[in-house]
Amino acid sequence: MNRHSQLQQLRQTEQFDLCIIGAGATGAGIAIDAVLRGLKVVIIDKNDFASQTSSKSTKLIHGGVRYLEQAVKKLDWEQYKMVRKALKEREILLKNAPHLSRPLALLTPCFSFIESIYYTIGLKMYEWIAGSQNISSSERLSKKEALELIPELKKKRLNSAVLYYDGQLDDARYCLALVQTAVEKGVLAFNYIQANKFVKNEDTGRIKTLLAQDLLTGEDIQIHAKAFINATGPFADHIRKMANSKMKPRIKVSRGAHIVLPKKFLQGDAAILVPKTDDGRVIFMIPWQDHLLVGTTDEEDQLSENPKLEDYERTYLIDYVNRYLETPVTEKDVTSGFAGQRPLLEAKLHTALDSETKSLVRDHEVEIDKRSKLVSIMGGKWTTYRLMAKDTVDMVQENVLKQSVVECTTDQQVLFGGEGYLFDDWKILVNKYNVSIEVAQHLMKKYGSNAGKVLELSNKDADLKSLLVAGHPFIKAEVVYAVRHEMACTKEDVLLRRLGLALRDADAAAKAEWYVEEVLNVEGSGDRG
């Protein structure tokens, strides 16, 4: 993950098989899949890796209980198929990056006997669809059992609950691990390179070159490739129009907002699923990295590169926390918050399309423009990123490169930091580097089997074992490691995505900014990363 040396390779490469635009989960997944099939690949993003949708999720690996409910109520086969695919993928995501993902128990509070039967049946169906990939059996809990599991629940009105299991991931670092794995296999990967214009063959209209610019240096870059893939999520229509001005928009943007609260409001390991709000949404309250993550809202939005958490969204989410948890939450308790945009796919024929984004299917489609041959992967969700990548590379090999389709093997590809990972190795870190248990366990969950490499930096400078900011387990060595080895180029790259401190506690991140900026200056503003 050395940006400078990779740029030198980029300048020396005459032609790639694939140029992927967009380095979120899907683009990074395509890069791994393609390189494992023997293709020469470059991937670029105008911002940082996972800087948009892929780092602003609810941090869940799930089939989608809500989609299953819609599938049953509306007898919608497409919704059902998507749930089935996602539940199969859930197991693969958990297996391939054990340091960045884990099973998660979710409790659904019920306020009547009828309600508990309804959700018990629904979640048993969810479990049945998962089949051999199911994490653990769901079960109906009495009021007493529910309160033993989550004592913070409001006792009034509670009748019973249903417990089921899904998965949780560190989304930004999971995406980074995809990029790191791809680079290990031979992919050239770049953040802060913007796609500006396609150059086409005058006779066929097919794209042959991408004119791009390094936004850090201002350098103009030409990328020649046999195939170009648009994996820009909510921004897919922009790249589609850049390739062919006659293409009609296909992406509808859905907005999701989250707030983060101190762990004291929900201290155990089990999450809460609010299965239905007054306006028909679903809300999760999830223990997440020693904090409580609450979200998500779901409403149609205008495309934005920097969506902000709005005051009304914060108020809305706090209101639902207070309906379900005993200790009152106020706006002063919110330590951080974020909003993201999801790319929902409009039907090809713009006819009877539901205007409410919360009822649109989160499935995907691979489109090949007949003239320019631009390949666009659109729609989808985090949990199905690997399937989206597989379908894309299959289509590219068969229809653009005109090759025999090589078998996809990403279901067996353990990601960077997952090889030989044992969480209990935190004990080795404590003994070898004399750090606290909290710091050692935190490093194992962030870096997996590479946690020791972060601490090795302290061999030359013991101060790097110091806490970055009081009250959080992050250490100074992580900042240096992010800049040197993880291509972090800005303070936002470090605090939002490599460490994730800003998502947990915005005030703490602000206090750490001076140190991050100092490291960036010393390390050459990302040149070594």
Side-chain angles (χ1 to χ4, degrees):
M1 290 287 284
N2 185 295
R3 197 173 191 274
H4 182 69
S5 63
Q6 287 200 96
L7 277 169
Q8 288 182 316
Q9 291 181 64
L10 178 62
R11 296 183 195 107
Q12 294 164 5
T13 304
E14 290 186 9
Q15 188 182 46
F16 293 90
D17 293 312
L18 295 188
C19 172
I20 304 162
I21 304 167
T26 305
I30 292 168
I32 291 180
D33 195 337
V35 76
L36 289 176
R37 300 195 204 194
L39 300 177
K40 185 183 288 187
V41 181
V42 61
I43 180 170
I44 64 170
D45 197 296
K46 68 175 287 188
N47 295 303
D48 188 27
F49 308 118
S51 61
Q52 295 290 342
T53 305
S54 295
S55 63
K56 298 171 181 176
S57 74
T58 313
K59 324 300 181 190
L60 289 175
I61 309 169
H62 63 138
V65 172
R66 173 178 46 146
Y67 303 121
L68 176 60
E69 185 178 29
Q70 290 176 0
V72 173
K73 284 183 176 179
K74 299 178 181 180
L75 299 178
D76 189 330
W77 179 243
E78 292 302 315
Q79 296 268 24
Y80 173 80
K81 282 196 301 183
M82 192 199 66
V83 173
R84 187 175 62 185
K85 285 190 294 189
L87 285 172
K88 184 176 181 181
E89 288 300 302
R90 181 183 67 182
E91 181 190 38
I92 297 171
L93 266 74
L94 289 168
K95 177 189 71 175
N96 286 357
H99 56 308
L100 299 172
S101 60
R102 66 180 183 89
L104 178 69
L106 293 107
L107 183 132
T108 305
C110 302
F111 300 105
S112 70
F113 176 75
I114 297 297
E115 200 174 59
S116 73
I117 296 300
Y118 175 78
Y119 289 120
T120 298
I121 293 170
L123 290 166
K124 282 295 178 187
M125 185 181 294
Y126 190 65
E127 184 181 319
W128 173 75
I129 295 169
S132 61
Q133 281 91 26
N134 193 49
I135 294 171
S136 188
S137 295
S138 61
E139 56 181 314
R140 183 176 178 273
L141 303 181
S142 66
K143 178 176 180 177
K144 180 183 176 184
E145 289 170 327
L147 290 170
E148 284 174 355
L149 184 65
I150 303 182
E152 296 88 353
L153 273 172
K154 270 190 174 174
K155 301 169 182 62
K156 191 178 179 182
R157 290 182 57 235
L158 184 68
N159 172 274
S160 54
V162 183
L163 183 68
Y164 78 103
Y165 294 83
D166 258 323
Q168 183 177 44
L169 83 167
D170 185 336
D171 55 4
R173 288 207 66 88
Y174 204 111
C175 183
L176 179 66
L178 292 170
V179 175
Q180 290 169 313
T181 309
V183 169
E184 268 195 326
K185 303 295 180 184
V187 170
L188 297 186
F190 300 95
N191 48 7
Y192 299 106
I193 288 186
Q194 178 174 279
N196 286 331
K197 185 180 180 181
F198 290 121
V199 178
K200 302 170 188 174
N201 182 296
E202 290 183 5
D203 297 326
T204 64
R206 179 170 175 163
I207 302 167
K208 61 179 183 178
T209 303
L210 173 66
L211 303 182
Q213 185 178 44
D214 186 335
L215 298 180
L216 298 182
T217 65
E219 178 187 357
D220 291 326
I221 293 170
Q222 290 191 17
I223 300 174
H224 308 287
K226 297 175 185 176
F228 292 84
I229 297 177
N230 171 18
T232 55
F235 305 94
D237 284 337
H238 171 71
I239 302 297
R240 291 171 70 242
K241 279 201 167 290
M242 199 165 85
N244 183 347
S245 60
K246 295 180 180 178
M247 297 192 88
K248 293 181 179 178
R250 296 289 309 281
I251 298 296
K252 197 169 189 175
V253 174
S254 165
R255 177 184 177 83
H258 303 78
I259 59 171
V260 180
L261 298 165
K263 186 177 175 62
K264 66 181 182 181
F265 292 105
L266 191 65
Q267 296 188 47
D269 293 327
I272 296 171
L273 164 65
V274 176
K276 193 170 184 181
T277 60
D278 296 342
D279 49 6
R281 303 174 189 176
V282 168
I283 288 178
F284 296 92
M285 302 176 200
I286 304 170
W288 175 70
Q289 299 190 9
D290 299 320
H291 286 71
L292 173 61
L293 177 67
V294 182
T296 175
T297 60
D298 194 350
E299 59 186 333
E300 193 171 338
D301 199 13
Q302 294 296 312
L303 186 63
S304 168
E305 287 202 15
N306 192 24
K308 304 278 191 198
L309 177 70
E310 301 291 348
D311 289 344
Y312 76 89
E313 293 170 322
R314 187 184 294 105
T315 302
Y316 176 90
L317 292 170
I318 288 172
D319 175 51
Y320 275 94
V321 172
N322 287 331
R323 292 191 195 189
Y324 283 82
L325 298 185
E326 199 72 67
T327 305
V329 170
T330 68
E331 292 203 5
K332 291 179 181 178
D333 294 310
V334 177
T335 59
S336 189
F338 59 94
Q341 294 184 323
R342 311 177 188 99
L344 303 182
L345 188 59
E346 286 196 317
K348 274 188 177 176
L349 297 174
H350 296 250
T351 53
L353 181 71
D354 194 322
S355 63
E356 294 186 8
T357 61
K358 59 180 175 287
S359 63
L360 290 177
V361 180
R362 293 285 298 281
D363 216 338
H364 66 270
E365 178 186 316
V366 183
E367 171 195 81
I368 301 178
D369 178 34
K370 288 181 180 177
R371 184 159 176 80
S372 71
K373 298 301 180 185
L374 176 71
V375 180
S376 296
I377 171 67
M378 299 176 289
K381 53 186 278 186
W382 231 117
T383 307
T384 57
Y385 89 87
R386 196 194 66 83
L387 272 187
M388 295 165 69
K390 175 187 179 299
D391 290 350
T392 304
V393 181
D394 285 351
M395 289 277 281
V396 168
Q397 284 202 298
E398 184 176 359
N399 297 295
V400 182
L401 299 178
K402 303 297 183 182
Q403 300 174 344
S404 298
V405 176
V406 178
E407 184 182 0
C408 171
T409 59
T410 51
D411 58 332
Q412 301 298 321
Q413 180 61 54
V414 176
L415 300 182
F416 191 82
E419 289 281 4
Y421 169 73
L422 288 172
F423 178 64
D424 279 352
D425 283 352
W426 64 263
K427 297 171 187 174
I428 297 173
L429 300 182
V430 169
N431 292 328
K432 186 174 180 180
Y433 295 100
N434 193 29
V435 292
S436 70
I437 292 173
E438 185 184 20
V439 166
Q441 292 184 345
H442 154 75
L443 292 174
M444 289 303 299
K445 290 177 183 177
K446 281 283 177 188
Y447 306 92
S449 53
N450 294 303
K453 293 179 181 177
V454 179
L455 284 168
E456 279 175 16
L457 297 173
S458 68
N459 290 340
K460 293 183 179 179
D461 182 358
D463 184 54
L464 292 180
K465 287 190 288 188
S466 303
L467 291 179
L468 184 59
V469 62
H472 295 276
F474 302 92
I475 59 173
K476 291 179 177 179
E478 293 180 74
V479 178
V480 177
Y481 187 83
V483 176
R484 284 187 189 172
H485 303 294
E486 297 183 336
M487 220 183 276
C489 302
T490 71
K491 64 185 179 185
E492 289 79 18
D493 296 349
V494 175
L495 294 170
L496 278 169
R497 290 172 287 276
R498 303 302 184 276
L499 275 62
L501 174 60
L503 291 187
R504 293 159 60 144
D505 189 331
D507 288 343
K511 291 174 184 175
E513 282 185 5
W514 72 271
Y515 182 76
V516 176
E517 289 174 346
E518 188 175 278
V519 172
L520 284 166
N521 289 332
V522 170
E523 298 292 332
S525 297
D527 266 358
R528 297 186 190 178

